Amino acid sequence: GRWLTFASTDSAGSTHLWLRDMSKLEPRMLAGTENADQPFWSPDSRWIGYFAEGKLKKVPLDGGTPEVLCDAPDPRGGAWSSRGTIVFAPVATGSLFAVSQNGGKVTEIVRRDSTGGEMALRFPSFLPDGEGFLFISLPRRGALNDVHYARLGSDARHVVYQSSSAPVYVAPGWLLSIEVARMTAIRFDARTGRVRGTAQTIGVAPPPVSHDGCPV
């Protein structure tokens, strides 16, 4: 909660990752992160994962040299587990894959169900235990995505609920998502992957971004 990272394009049209200490007003640019997109944090907050130039990369918080982990030609989100695994969608249509935080072999871990009409699995996010994670599947059902729960090392998964965007977990047990220009919260049991009750509106939401189902 002390740092915020984001991708921003300057007046010259150059995009980089920026890092802001929330106790200060001015952010600083992370050198070497040209064309960065879709950043996500390591569990210890010492690294930032991101996508750029067809690759999955990571860069240390102190602004050191970025490292390439693997290919990701048209990505749709990544998440970093406390177990040292990064789960990501390397292309806009397809399955979810995993790679070590140190790079190496890339493995398909959740296969899209083409017989069930799934075109793409996107925007994973890990739960506190470092093994359970959420993601969305496309196509939408009407205006909503199916949000799924899965675990590392298991082929099982189930639909948690439907949402306009990929949710993120907030302790001690909530999922936040954007629903038709509203930020909503719904109670969630991270051990079972089940929601409880109905969603509550907690404020207005930012405008949508270009990637379908992009998370909060």
Side-chain angles (χ1 to χ4, degrees), residues 10-207:
D10 62 23
S11 59
S14 179
T15 301
H16 290 81
L17 286 185
W18 291 74
L19 185 67
R20 179 185 165 187
D21 182 335
M22 295 304 291
S23 66
K24 302 177 182 179
L25 292 178
E26 292 297 323
R28 63 179 173 88
M29 186 184 74
L30 294 178
T33 61
E34 291 83 1
N35 303 310
D37 191 21
Q38 305 172 50
F40 55 95
W41 288 95
S42 67
D44 61 8
S45 298
R46 296 181 179 180
W47 293 81
I48 300 168
Y50 68 100
F51 301 97
E53 299 165 338
K55 306 291 183 181
L56 169 61
K57 302 182 179 183
K58 66 177 184 179
V59 63
L61 191 67
D62 60 11
T65 302
E67 299 179 23
V68 174
L69 300 179
C70 61
D71 291 337
D74 190 15
R76 292 297 186 274
W80 198 320
S81 166
S82 57
R83 310 294 186 184
T85 298
I86 294 175
V87 173
F88 67 109
V91 292
T93 58
S95 304
L96 292 180
F97 291 77
V99 67
S100 165
Q101 63 188 11
N102 299 313
K105 182 180 179 181
V106 176
T107 305
E108 184 182 52
I109 62 165
V110 185
R111 179 170 296 180
R112 69 181 178 94
D113 180 8
S114 58
T115 61
E118 285 184 340
M119 295 175 56
L121 309 181
R122 297 180 175 182
F123 301 113
S125 61
F126 271 102
L127 298 170
D129 67 359
E131 293 185 359
F133 59 96
L134 303 172
F135 62 93
I136 64 170
S137 65
L138 299 181
R140 291 170 172 247
R141 297 186 181 184
L144 301 175
N145 306 293
D146 282 341
V147 177
H148 297 258
Y149 170 87
R151 298 186 66 81
L152 293 176
S154 172
D155 293 330
R157 56 165 158 140
H158 66 256
V159 176
V160 179
Y161 74 133
Q162 292 184 321
S163 173
S164 297
S165 65
V168 293
Y169 177 83
V170 178
W174 296 88
L175 294 181
L176 298 185
S177 62
I178 296 173
E179 311 292 345
V180 192
R182 297 175 298 128
M183 180 77 73
T184 68
I186 189 168
R187 288 195 175 276
F188 177 72
D189 187 335
R191 295 172 300 173
T192 63
R194 306 287 182 182
V195 293
R196 292 179 292 159
T198 58
Q200 305 174 25
T201 299
I202 59 175
V204 297

